Amino acid sequence: MAGKESNRLSTPPGRITLHDVAREAEVSAATVSKVLSGAKGAIRISKQTRERVMAVARRMNYIPNASAQALRRGSLSAIGLYFPFGLHPWVSSAYSQLTRHISILLEEERHSLVIMINPPPRKKAEPARFPSFLYNQGVDGVICVHQVPEALLEELRQRKMPYVLLNCDTGYPENCVDADERWVMQQSLQYVYDLGHRRIIFAGRSTSHPSYDIKREVYVEFMKRKGLPALPDVYEITDPLSDERGDFGEKIAERILRQAERPTAIVAYNDITALALIHAFRDRGISIPEEISIVGCDDIHESLVARPRLTTFRFPADRLAKAAVEMVLKQVRTHEPQKSIAVKHEFLARDSCVQLAESRSHRAKRPASAGAFK
Amino acid sequence: MAGKESNRLSTPPGRITLHDVAREAEVSAATVSKVLSGAKGAIRISKQTRERVMAVARRMNYIPNASAQALRRGSLSAIGLYFPFGLHPWVSSAYSQLTRHISILLEEERHSLVIMINPPPRKKAEPARFPSFLYNQGVDGVICVHQVPEALLEELRQRKMPYVLLNCDTGYPENCVDADERWVMQQSLQYVYDLGHRRIIFAGRSTSHPSYDIKREVYVEFMKRKGLPALPDVYEITDPLSDERGDFGEKIAERILRQAERPTAIVAYNDITALALIHAFRDRGISIPEEISIVGCDDIHESLVARPRLTTFRFPADRLAKAAVEMVLKQVRTHEPQKSIAVKHEFLARDSCVQLAESRSHRAKRPASAGAFK
DNA sequence: CTGAAAGCGCTAACAG
DNA sequence: CTGTTAGCGCTTTCAG
């Protein structure tokens, strides 16, 4: 109705362009361009005109048009960050840290960050829909987080789109940046082993993420190497429904307690599992860490708030982000695949593990008669 | 070295353009354009050529160049999502949900989502740096989350950039989408009141977010209205260091226990506070909910895993996202400010609150002699 | 040191 | 129904 809009969709009418600045500063558009975005050393513009142009541009509140620049330069200076659709809420903390770091690093490289969360399938059996960037060339490269459908990877490769797989644990030798899951699991096991624990169990929900299988594998290897039993019946619990009821901690705890001999140490798949187990054991009158030591992984915020404060490993979001950003930008520049990188967690010794003292292990063999209660 | 690169920065050499498709399909570029992106009803292209063009485009793996489209159309079809720099980790869960919903909704509107996390100040006293979108016109509108610097708001307005303030609780009558903090606080208080509780306390870290003050205010009003004491000394604890030590729960718990008369119900500022308090009380031998009922807010994942399961309110990320996306797109279309909207949380009755029974309130007045211990 | 000119890839009048 | 034409705003030779 009350519109003096032109046929252009929604461009604000009085947008200032390069030419407006040029006219005002009484130079040509080319000069303005050189002043404003010419390579630092290579521009041959007199100090005098440069300063005049800059002053005028600032005064007129000039903002270059990103699309025009991108069209001309052949590069958008934008990187996509791809997330699969159905991420578990408890990984979101790690991934928002990752996103924050990536965003800040890209900003420093004068790139923007386009978030692409895979849309949910509209109907069952519909071929997976991918984010539309694939269909309109809107980014220079993509960082794919957590898990990436084979079909998408196929597309990326076919389109020669630079990409990095971040925390996907695929094991591919190229273009991957991962936390070193083998290392962190190995460290966790060695830590409780050195504390004197021998009945050690690996506990967690099985997830569809490869890190779960990697950790399980390291656990089995470790126990075999030390000549200890691997307690194979306990370490895998899969029940999506219990997520909604919030009782998967109880489920795992019960399966652990059903063992003939109770373990003295638990290496949990992640902090959420560890915390849920601490709650569940406490409800059952089992004190942590006195009776069972627990190690978590990733250091979510609650791990510091819970009691006992959870011994765990810090998720190296900062270094993962740095490596991923460098890798994708390198690829954008060179169009050559990059060698995969693994980044180590950082150990945080807190209160959920104790030395397995001689006295305690003896006491455990005595009949339960020391206490005041039945 | 081994480069047959042109002077363009990083454009993949053999990119397929509209003209390639046109040549191959033996039509003009305009026709291809109309077929591929013409408004559904308004295109006058014979079914025959349309199908031929589409087939060729698919076969050649044609992807339109987003920058060229944007330049021509005058709109990038991108929305920015702005986050301030120093967000507390525990809000990140709520905000990653928000981001996920916003991303999916925008995808449906064929818009992309550019994330802009304010970079940290490089030096003290440096004038705030804002994300570069402001300086290159890279988005059609911005959704600002949590908190927005006055100077940025100024810029946005001056540049006539459509914007929405999401969960900033500024109280502005226009362009805001917020959770209804007054409502959720009122509901929490009324809930424990109806359960018979009279000694009710509001506990939380004070934060720089306005929602804290809003909640405190509602608390004071509520207590005054009911003729109850507002326990003013307890509800505000500020100590950034205790975040790092993870002991702010203990701090608040101790201040609560220092009261002459212990409260029977706590309305916590958020779930993290509530959970930290539950842990701290338990360490001090106070059972929850039997001795103290607690209500949280926002329903983070751990609230369901902790014991007792926390009674709380679900953060309405989905509806907030929907409202914000609609509001910003409406503004992009009309360039007219929109009326602010408040969205309600959803109550989740779980196990952390109990009816204050007559018997219990009597027992509390008797000398502590019923138990078996000192 | 500065300006004229060409054109990135696409879309939307307009003419046929 | 289809093609021709004219730019969107910017950068980059290339001449002067």
Side-chain angles (χ1 to χ4, degrees):
Chain A
M1 291 270 175
K4 49 170 183 176
E5 298 292 81
S6 74
N7 62 13
R8 306 296 267 352
L9 286 187
S10 58
T11 330
R15 164 113 3 258
I16 307 284
T17 76
L18 201 59
H19 287 93
D20 299 323
V21 176
R23 196 175 329 106
E24 194 74 7
E26 297 180 304
V27 290
S28 75
T31 303
V32 178
S33 175
K34 279 172 199 152
V35 168
L36 261 27
S37 38
K40 272 279 135 58
I43 44 164
R44 262 126 234 303
I45 299 288
S46 72
K47 194 174 179 189
Q48 185 182 326
T49 45
R50 176 166 56 233
E51 277 166 4
R52 179 158 39 93
V53 167
M54 301 226 294
V56 171
R58 191 169 1 256
R59 177 160 53 73
M60 296 181 80
N61 234 324
Y62 167 68
I63 313 172
N65 178 315
S67 307
Q69 288 183 315
L71 177 57
R72 185 58 237 243
R73 296 209 258 240
S75 154
L76 247 190
S77 295
I79 295 295
L81 189 62
Y82 169 89
F83 290 95
F85 172 60
L87 274 187
H88 269 288
W90 61 63
V91 296
S92 66
S93 154
Y95 290 152
S96 46
Q97 288 179 59
L98 223 36
T99 306
R100 227 191 76 210
H101 285 112
I102 289 173
S103 160
I104 290 170
L105 291 167
L106 284 176
E107 173 77 28
E108 256 151 41
E109 301 286 339
R110 326 232 74 209
H111 278 242
S112 48
L113 177 59
V114 179
I115 293 282
M116 308 172 299
I117 294 172
N118 213 40
R122 264 196 261 269
K123 297 176 184 177
K124 55 210 161 193
E126 184 199 36
R129 298 184 293 142
F130 297 126
S132 52
F133 75 92
L134 264 183
Y135 306 113
N136 79 354
Q137 194 61 11
V139 293
D140 298 337
V142 184
I143 299 175
C144 301
V145 181
H146 190 74
Q147 200 162 46
V148 46
E150 195 54 44
L152 175 55
L153 210 50
E154 201 62 41
E155 289 263 7
L156 290 171
R157 286 182 175 137
Q158 188 180 322
R159 299 202 194 285
K160 302 224 169 78
M161 173 79 82
Y163 70 91
V164 167
L165 268 32
L166 178 54
N167 214 42
C168 292
D169 286 315
T170 54
Y172 300 151
E174 285 177 348
N175 300 340
C176 295
V177 174
D178 291 298
D180 193 334
E181 305 288 350
R182 301 195 70 84
W183 182 88
V184 76
M185 190 61 192
Q186 172 70 33
Q187 294 290 309
S188 304
L189 290 163
Q190 190 67 49
Y191 178 69
V192 292
Y193 185 88
D194 289 346
L195 248 25
H197 296 275
R198 292 301 175 266
R199 290 195 58 80
I200 303 167
I201 199 167
F202 172 51
R205 289 180 69 261
S206 92
T207 63
S208 53
H209 196 263
S211 62
Y212 187 83
D213 294 317
I214 294 173
K215 289 190 168 191
R216 178 171 54 184
E217 196 182 299
V218 172
Y219 167 69
V220 172
E221 275 168 18
F222 183 92
M223 297 304 271
K224 184 185 287 177
R225 186 146 27 93
K226 301 290 188 185
L228 299 171
L231 306 174
D233 272 326
V234 182
Y235 53 66
E236 181 165 7
I237 310 282
T238 314
D239 178 5
L241 276 184
S242 66
D243 285 350
E244 281 161 35
R245 288 193 306 267
D247 65 355
F248 79 102
E250 264 96 4
K251 287 278 182 59
I252 302 184
E254 269 160 29
R255 292 187 66 160
I256 290 176
L257 296 178
R258 214 177 292 147
Q259 297 284 305
E261 267 192 288
R262 185 186 292 176
T264 65
I266 298 175
V267 174
Y269 172 59
N270 57 19
D271 278 9
I272 292 284
T273 306
L275 259 17
L277 283 174
I278 289 178
H279 296 143
F281 282 131
R282 206 176 227 163
D283 277 356
R284 285 160 182 69
I286 295 168
S287 51
I288 309 292
E290 290 77 11
E291 297 182 68
I292 303 181
S293 289
I294 299 194
V295 184
C297 188
D298 285 352
D299 192 35
I300 62 178
H301 181 261
E302 288 70 23
S303 302
L304 190 56
V305 173
R307 292 294 174 269
R309 292 151 68 238
L310 187 65
T311 291
T312 187
F313 289 78
R314 195 181 67 81
F315 179 73
D318 46 358
R319 282 172 294 140
L320 286 169
K322 187 132 193 287
V325 166
E326 279 169 7
M327 191 179 278
V328 77
L329 291 182
K330 185 93 183 271
Q331 249 183 104
V332 168
R333 251 175 282 121
T334 67
H335 283 275
E336 273 161 25
Q338 305 292 306
K339 190 148 158 275
S340 294
I341 290 177
V343 174
K344 296 204 181 351
H345 283 66
E346 176 192 335
F347 183 51
L348 300 170
R350 297 207 279 239
D351 312 329
S352 65
C353 293
V354 290
Q355 177 90 35
L356 189 67
E358 287 301 312
S359 57
R360 286 201 62 249
S361 70
H362 288 167
R363 193 155 73 89
K365 282 167 191 164
R366 272 187 265 142
S369 59
F373 315 102
K374 174 171 90 61
Chain B
M1 292 261 176
K4 49 172 186 176
E5 298 292 80
S6 71
N7 62 14
R8 307 295 268 356
L9 287 185
S10 58
T11 330
R15 166 117 356 264
I16 307 284
T17 76
L18 201 59
H19 287 92
D20 300 323
V21 176
R23 196 174 332 106
E24 193 75 7
E26 297 181 304
V27 290
S28 75
T31 303
V32 178
S33 174
K34 278 173 200 151
V35 169
L36 261 29
S37 39
K40 272 278 134 55
I43 46 165
R44 262 126 235 302
I45 299 288
S46 73
K47 194 175 178 186
Q48 186 181 323
T49 45
R50 177 169 51 233
E51 277 166 4
R52 179 157 40 91
V53 168
M54 300 225 295
V56 171
R58 193 174 353 261
R59 177 160 54 73
M60 296 182 79
N61 234 324
Y62 168 69
I63 313 171
N65 178 316
S67 308
Q69 289 182 314
L71 178 57
R72 185 59 237 240
R73 298 210 256 240
S75 154
L76 248 190
S77 296
I79 295 296
L81 189 61
Y82 170 89
F83 290 95
F85 171 60
L87 273 188
H88 270 288
W90 61 64
V91 297
S92 66
S93 154
Y95 290 152
S96 45
Q97 287 179 59
L98 223 37
T99 306
R100 227 190 75 212
H101 284 112
I102 289 173
S103 160
I104 289 170
L105 291 168
L106 284 175
E107 174 77 28
E108 255 152 42
E109 301 286 340
R110 325 232 73 208
H111 278 243
S112 48
L113 177 59
V114 179
I115 293 282
M116 308 171 300
I117 296 173
N118 212 42
R122 264 195 260 269
K123 298 176 183 178
K124 55 209 161 189
E126 183 198 36
R129 299 183 293 143
F130 297 128
S132 53
F133 76 91
L134 263 183
Y135 307 113
N136 79 353
Q137 195 59 14
V139 293
D140 297 337
V142 184
I143 299 176
C144 301
V145 180
H146 190 75
Q147 200 163 47
V148 46
E150 195 55 44
L152 175 55
L153 209 52
E154 201 62 41
E155 289 263 8
L156 290 170
R157 287 181 175 137
Q158 188 180 321
R159 300 202 192 284
K160 302 221 169 77
M161 172 79 82
Y163 70 92
V164 167
L165 268 31
L166 179 54
N167 213 42
C168 292
D169 285 316
T170 55
Y172 299 151
E174 285 178 346
N175 300 340
C176 296
V177 174
D178 290 299
D180 194 334
E181 305 288 349
R182 300 194 72 82
W183 182 88
V184 76
M185 190 61 193
Q186 173 69 35
Q187 293 290 309
S188 304
L189 290 162
Q190 190 67 50
Y191 177 70
V192 293
Y193 186 88
D194 289 346
L195 247 26
H197 296 276
R198 292 301 175 267
R199 290 194 58 80
I200 304 167
I201 200 168
F202 171 52
R205 290 180 69 260
S206 88
T207 63
S208 54
H209 197 261
S211 62
Y212 187 83
D213 293 319
I214 293 173
K215 289 191 167 190
R216 179 171 54 184
E217 196 183 299
V218 172
Y219 168 71
V220 172
E221 276 168 17
F222 182 94
M223 298 304 271
K224 185 184 285 177
R225 186 148 26 91
K226 301 291 188 186
L228 299 171
L231 306 174
D233 272 325
V234 183
Y235 54 66
E236 182 165 5
I237 310 283
T238 313
D239 178 6
L241 277 184
S242 66
D243 284 350
E244 280 161 38
R245 288 193 307 266
D247 66 354
F248 78 102
E250 264 96 5
K251 287 277 183 61
I252 302 182
E254 268 160 27
R255 292 186 67 158
I256 290 175
L257 296 178
R258 214 176 294 146
Q259 296 286 304
E261 266 192 289
R262 185 186 293 176
T264 65
I266 298 175
V267 174
Y269 171 58
N270 58 18
D271 278 9
I272 292 284
T273 307
L275 258 18
L277 283 174
I278 289 178
H279 296 143
F281 283 131
R282 207 177 228 164
D283 278 356
R284 285 160 181 71
I286 295 169
S287 51
I288 309 293
E290 290 76 11
E291 297 182 68
I292 303 182
S293 291
I294 299 193
V295 185
C297 188
D298 285 351
D299 191 35
I300 62 178
H301 181 260
E302 289 71 23
S303 302
L304 189 55
V305 173
R307 294 294 172 268
R309 291 153 67 238
L310 187 65
T311 292
T312 187
F313 289 79
R314 194 181 67 80
F315 179 74
D318 47 357
R319 282 172 295 139
L320 286 169
K322 187 133 194 287
V325 166
E326 278 169 7
M327 191 178 277
V328 77
L329 292 182
K330 184 92 184 271
Q331 250 184 102
V332 168
R333 250 175 282 120
T334 67
H335 282 275
E336 274 163 24
Q338 305 291 307
K339 192 149 156 274
S340 294
I341 289 177
V343 173
K344 296 204 182 348
H345 282 64
E346 177 191 336
F347 183 51
L348 300 170
R350 298 207 280 238
D351 311 328
S352 65
C353 293
V354 290
Q355 178 89 35
L356 189 68
E358 287 301 313
S359 58
R360 287 199 63 248
S361 73
H362 286 169
R363 193 155 72 88
K365 283 168 189 164
R366 273 188 263 140
S369 60
F373 316 101
K374 163 175 104 59

